[in-house]
Amino acid sequence: MADGSGEDWSGRIDTTTAHPARRYNYWLGGKDNFAADRESGEAIARVYPAIRTTALENRYFLQRAVRFLAGEANVRQFLDIGTGIPTADNTHEVAQSVAPSSRIVYVDNDPIVLTHARALLTSTPEGATAYIDADLRDPRTILDDESLRKTLDFNQPVALMLIAIVHFLFDEDKPYELVKTLVDALPSGSYVVMTHGTADLNDPAAREYALREIQAGRLKVDARPRSHDEVAAFFTGLEVLEPGIVPVTAWRNPVTEADRPPLVDTAMYGVVARKP
C-alpha cells in the first residue's frame, strides 16, 4: 500500500491489532477500520456506553479551540500530533476558514492515517499543510523533521495540538518529559491544547465494572486515564486560559449547560494554555 508520496507501508499495517486512530474512526461512524478495531471499540463501549459521545464532544472541543486560536489569539501555525483519520472540520479546515494563511503540520504513526491525510487534507492556496510519519514518543524526530521546519516558523507562535493522544502514554513512557521537550521547543506566545481521558468524571459503579472487566481479562487497557492534578502537571510554567482544566463540554461552549451531555458521558478533560 502506497500513498502519493511513493512510500510503501504495506508491511506496517497490522489489521489484527486495534489501533486508537482506527477505533476512534469506528466510534465516529467511519469506515476506515478493521475487525480488531471494531471489536476493541465494542468492548470499551460495553464498559463505557457513552464512549461515542465522548469522541464527538472531544471533536467539538478541537474545533472550538482552533477557532479561538486562529481568531482571537491570532495564531497562524499549528502542530497537530496524533492526527487521526480525517473526518469533517479538521484542524487546518477550521483554522483556514478563519485565517486562510494558516499553516498546519500533522503527525501520526499510522500509515492509514497518513495515506488519508495526504489524499484529503488539502490546504488553501494561501496556507500550507504537511504530514510527518512519527510517534509522540520520539519528539526529537518530530522537531527535527525537514518538512516541519519548512512549513512552520519557530520564531513565531505555534499551537501544539495534543488531542486525545497523551493518555496513550503510560508512566514508563515518561509522558511529562516528552510533552516538555515539545513545549520547550515552542517560542514565547505559543499555545498548548490538550484533551486527556480521565476517570474523575465516571460514575463509581462504571469504574468498578471496568476494573472487574480488566481484571478478568475481558477488557484490554491501552490507555492511562489521569486525574485533574495529573493533567495539570503537564502545564507547569504555562498560563492556563479560562475556564481552566475542565470537561471538554465545558470549555467555551456556546451550548447551554442544560443541553450538553452529562459529565459522566464525557470523561475527558480539555485545556488551552499559553507559553509566556
Side-chain angles (χ1 to χ4, degrees):
M1 179 180 181
D3 70 357
S5 68
E7 295 173 86
D8 185 357
W9 286 322
S10 56
R12 282 183 46 195
I13 299 176
D14 181 2
T15 64
T16 65
T17 303
H19 188 283
R22 301 194 303 259
R23 185 173 57 207
Y24 189 76
N25 173 262
Y26 171 65
W27 286 330
L28 290 176
K31 301 183 184 302
D32 298 300
N33 48 74
F34 299 104
D37 308 307
R38 296 188 287 274
E39 290 169 7
S40 174
E42 285 301 318
I44 293 173
R46 283 193 294 272
V47 172
Y48 182 53
I51 187 61
R52 289 180 176 86
T53 299
T54 295
L56 285 169
E57 292 298 329
N58 178 71
R59 194 75 183 173
Y60 298 151
F61 167 89
L62 163 68
Q63 293 159 11
R64 293 196 303 275
V66 172
R67 199 169 289 115
F68 159 77
L69 290 168
E72 185 176 334
N74 203 35
V75 174
R76 297 293 178 265
Q77 304 187 110
F78 297 79
L79 174 56
D80 187 335
I81 302 178
T83 306
I85 294 172
T87 58
D89 294 329
N90 301 282
T91 296
H92 80 286
E93 291 169 322
V94 177
Q96 292 179 346
S97 71
V98 178
S101 62
S102 297
R103 307 173 72 83
I104 295 87
V105 173
Y106 289 108
V107 181
D108 209 285
N109 67 345
D110 183 355
I112 289 180
V113 168
L114 292 168
T115 297
H116 283 276
R118 286 175 170 145
L120 300 175
L121 303 186
T122 56
S123 173
T124 60
E126 303 94 329
T129 55
Y131 319 95
I132 298 175
D133 178 15
D135 194 302
L136 176 58
R137 295 175 182 84
D138 188 5
R140 287 301 342 159
T141 293
I142 297 172
L143 294 170
D144 293 340
D145 189 273
E146 182 179 358
S147 60
L148 174 79
R149 295 294 171 171
K150 283 183 176 179
T151 307
L152 304 183
D153 177 5
F154 273 68
N155 293 311
Q156 300 296 325
V158 175
L160 172 63
M161 311 294 295
L162 298 170
I163 303 296
I165 185 173
V166 177
H167 50 236
F168 292 112
L169 298 175
F170 286 88
D171 295 346
E172 55 266 31
D173 294 317
K174 300 182 179 180
Y176 295 101
E177 293 182 22
L178 296 177
V179 172
K180 186 177 185 302
T181 297
L182 292 166
V183 173
D184 285 350
L186 302 176
S188 175
S190 292
Y191 289 81
V192 180
V193 183
M194 182 186 294
T195 63
H196 198 298
T198 183
D200 290 356
L201 309 173
N202 290 150
D203 178 77
R207 284 200 298 268
E208 292 175 7
Y209 175 54
L211 182 60
R212 290 197 300 271
E213 291 295 289
I214 292 169
Q215 292 173 337
R218 292 186 290 269
L219 180 64
K220 181 182 178 182
V221 177
D222 61 0
R224 163 69 159 84
R226 290 184 171 90
S227 68
H228 185 280
D229 288 347
E230 288 176 315
V231 173
F234 286 107
F235 296 90
T236 301
L238 303 180
E239 300 171 356
V240 175
L241 275 58
E242 293 294 338
I245 300 170
V246 295
V248 288
T249 52
W251 197 89
R252 304 195 183 196
N253 194 345
V255 177
T256 61
E257 187 172 353
D259 293 327
R260 300 172 195 165
L263 293 183
V264 294
D265 287 351
T266 53
M268 187 90 71
Y269 284 125
V271 56
V272 178
R274 183 180 182 276
K275 182 176 179 179

PDB file of all heavy atoms in Angstrom, residues 15-16 70 79 87 103 155 157 171 185 219 227 235:
ATOM      1  N   THR A  15      -3.555  -5.387  10.791  1.00  0.00           N
ATOM      2  CA  THR A  15      -5.024  -5.399  10.873  1.00  0.00           C
ATOM      3  C   THR A  15      -5.536  -6.273  12.001  1.00  0.00           C
ATOM      4  O   THR A  15      -6.733  -6.291  12.267  1.00  0.00           O
ATOM      5  CB  THR A  15      -5.628  -5.883   9.550  1.00  0.00           C
ATOM      6  OG1 THR A  15      -5.232  -7.249   9.318  1.00  0.00           O
ATOM      7  CG2 THR A  15      -5.168  -5.013   8.389  1.00  0.00           C
ATOM      8  N   THR A  16      -4.638  -7.006  12.671  1.00  0.00           N
ATOM      9  CA  THR A  16      -5.071  -7.923  13.726  1.00  0.00           C
ATOM     10  C   THR A  16      -5.069  -7.278  15.109  1.00  0.00           C
ATOM     11  O   THR A  16      -5.563  -7.863  16.064  1.00  0.00           O
ATOM     12  CB  THR A  16      -4.165  -9.165  13.761  1.00  0.00           C
ATOM     13  OG1 THR A  16      -2.830  -8.780  14.143  1.00  0.00           O
ATOM     14  CG2 THR A  16      -4.119  -9.842  12.398  1.00  0.00           C
ATOM     15  N   ALA A  70      -7.097  30.627  15.998  1.00  0.00           N
ATOM     16  CA  ALA A  70      -6.917  31.295  14.710  1.00  0.00           C
ATOM     17  C   ALA A  70      -7.594  32.661  14.687  1.00  0.00           C
ATOM     18  O   ALA A  70      -7.189  33.536  13.919  1.00  0.00           O
ATOM     19  CB  ALA A  70      -7.486  30.418  13.592  1.00  0.00           C
ATOM     20  N   LEU A  79       0.782  22.627  15.079  1.00  0.00           N
ATOM     21  CA  LEU A  79       1.452  21.328  15.039  1.00  0.00           C
ATOM     22  C   LEU A  79       0.523  20.331  15.718  1.00  0.00           C
ATOM     23  O   LEU A  79       0.360  20.346  16.934  1.00  0.00           O
ATOM     24  CB  LEU A  79       2.801  21.405  15.771  1.00  0.00           C
ATOM     25  CG  LEU A  79       3.570  20.092  15.954  1.00  0.00           C
ATOM     26  CD1 LEU A  79       3.824  19.409  14.617  1.00  0.00           C
ATOM     27  CD2 LEU A  79       4.880  20.343  16.693  1.00  0.00           C
ATOM     28  N   THR A  87     -11.854  13.424   9.329  1.00  0.00           N
ATOM     29  CA  THR A  87     -13.306  13.488   9.247  1.00  0.00           C
ATOM     30  C   THR A  87     -13.639  14.909   8.795  1.00  0.00           C
ATOM     31  O   THR A  87     -12.878  15.521   8.080  1.00  0.00           O
ATOM     32  CB  THR A  87     -13.946  13.163  10.611  1.00  0.00           C
ATOM     33  OG1 THR A  87     -13.454  14.093  11.592  1.00  0.00           O
ATOM     34  CG2 THR A  87     -13.594  11.759  11.069  1.00  0.00           C
ATOM     35  N   ARG A 103      -0.926  27.658   8.610  1.00  0.00           N
ATOM     36  CA  ARG A 103      -0.038  26.576   8.199  1.00  0.00           C
ATOM     37  C   ARG A 103      -0.111  25.477   9.252  1.00  0.00           C
ATOM     38  O   ARG A 103       0.004  25.760  10.446  1.00  0.00           O
ATOM     39  CB  ARG A 103       1.391  27.087   8.028  1.00  0.00           C
ATOM     40  CG  ARG A 103       1.476  28.314   7.099  1.00  0.00           C
ATOM     41  CD  ARG A 103       2.855  28.913   7.059  1.00  0.00           C
ATOM     42  NE  ARG A 103       3.796  28.066   6.329  1.00  0.00           N
ATOM     43  CZ  ARG A 103       3.918  28.067   5.006  1.00  0.00           C
ATOM     44  NH1 ARG A 103       3.153  28.860   4.262  1.00  0.00           N
ATOM     45  NH2 ARG A 103       4.804  27.292   4.414  1.00  0.00           N
ATOM     46  N   ASN A 155      10.144  30.937  14.957  1.00  0.00           N
ATOM     47  CA  ASN A 155      10.344  32.274  15.511  1.00  0.00           C
ATOM     48  C   ASN A 155       9.016  32.969  15.764  1.00  0.00           C
ATOM     49  O   ASN A 155       8.984  34.070  16.322  1.00  0.00           O
ATOM     50  CB  ASN A 155      11.198  33.125  14.556  1.00  0.00           C
ATOM     51  CG  ASN A 155      12.615  32.614  14.451  1.00  0.00           C
ATOM     52  OD1 ASN A 155      13.267  32.357  15.463  1.00  0.00           O
ATOM     53  ND2 ASN A 155      13.094  32.450  13.217  1.00  0.00           N
ATOM     54  N   PRO A 157       4.689  32.275  17.002  1.00  0.00           N
ATOM     55  CA  PRO A 157       3.903  31.354  17.833  1.00  0.00           C
ATOM     56  C   PRO A 157       3.359  30.149  17.062  1.00  0.00           C
ATOM     57  O   PRO A 157       2.980  30.252  15.895  1.00  0.00           O
ATOM     58  CB  PRO A 157       2.761  32.239  18.339  1.00  0.00           C
ATOM     59  CG  PRO A 157       3.333  33.624  18.332  1.00  0.00           C
ATOM     60  CD  PRO A 157       4.225  33.670  17.127  1.00  0.00           C
ATOM     61  N   ASP A 171       3.025   5.613  32.195  1.00  0.00           N
ATOM     62  CA  ASP A 171       4.008   6.298  33.031  1.00  0.00           C
ATOM     63  C   ASP A 171       5.436   5.944  32.635  1.00  0.00           C
ATOM     64  O   ASP A 171       6.338   6.796  32.692  1.00  0.00           O
ATOM     65  CB  ASP A 171       3.769   5.958  34.503  1.00  0.00           C
ATOM     66  CG  ASP A 171       2.440   6.492  35.016  1.00  0.00           C
ATOM     67  OD1 ASP A 171       1.836   7.347  34.323  1.00  0.00           O
ATOM     68  OD2 ASP A 171       1.992   6.055  36.084  1.00  0.00           O
ATOM     69  N   ALA A 185      10.484  23.593  22.897  1.00  0.00           N
ATOM     70  CA  ALA A 185      10.884  23.991  21.548  1.00  0.00           C
ATOM     71  C   ALA A 185      10.012  25.115  20.986  1.00  0.00           C
ATOM     72  O   ALA A 185      10.377  25.734  19.984  1.00  0.00           O
ATOM     73  CB  ALA A 185      10.816  22.786  20.602  1.00  0.00           C
ATOM     74  N   LEU A 219     -11.217  -6.941  29.022  1.00  0.00           N
ATOM     75  CA  LEU A 219     -11.000  -5.596  28.503  1.00  0.00           C
ATOM     76  C   LEU A 219      -9.516  -5.286  28.531  1.00  0.00           C
ATOM     77  O   LEU A 219      -8.900  -5.278  29.597  1.00  0.00           O
ATOM     78  CB  LEU A 219     -11.772  -4.559  29.327  1.00  0.00           C
ATOM     79  CG  LEU A 219     -11.621  -3.102  28.879  1.00  0.00           C
ATOM     80  CD1 LEU A 219     -12.207  -2.919  27.487  1.00  0.00           C
ATOM     81  CD2 LEU A 219     -12.302  -2.159  29.869  1.00  0.00           C
ATOM     82  N   SER A 227      -5.898  11.980  36.513  1.00  0.00           N
ATOM     83  CA  SER A 227      -6.732  12.863  37.325  1.00  0.00           C
ATOM     84  C   SER A 227      -6.518  14.313  36.911  1.00  0.00           C
ATOM     85  O   SER A 227      -5.601  14.644  36.147  1.00  0.00           O
ATOM     86  CB  SER A 227      -6.376  12.693  38.800  1.00  0.00           C
ATOM     87  OG  SER A 227      -5.062  13.197  39.042  1.00  0.00           O
ATOM     88  N   PHE A 235       1.148  21.281  32.522  1.00  0.00           N
ATOM     89  CA  PHE A 235       1.093  22.703  32.186  1.00  0.00           C
ATOM     90  C   PHE A 235       1.864  23.571  33.174  1.00  0.00           C
ATOM     91  O   PHE A 235       1.647  24.782  33.226  1.00  0.00           O
ATOM     92  CB  PHE A 235      -0.368  23.129  32.088  1.00  0.00           C
ATOM     93  CG  PHE A 235      -1.088  22.427  30.969  1.00  0.00           C
ATOM     94  CD1 PHE A 235      -1.732  21.219  31.193  1.00  0.00           C
ATOM     95  CD2 PHE A 235      -1.058  22.942  29.695  1.00  0.00           C
ATOM     96  CE1 PHE A 235      -2.349  20.543  30.155  1.00  0.00           C
ATOM     97  CE2 PHE A 235      -1.680  22.279  28.652  1.00  0.00           C
ATOM     98  CZ  PHE A 235      -2.325  21.073  28.875  1.00  0.00           C
TER      99      PHE A 235
END
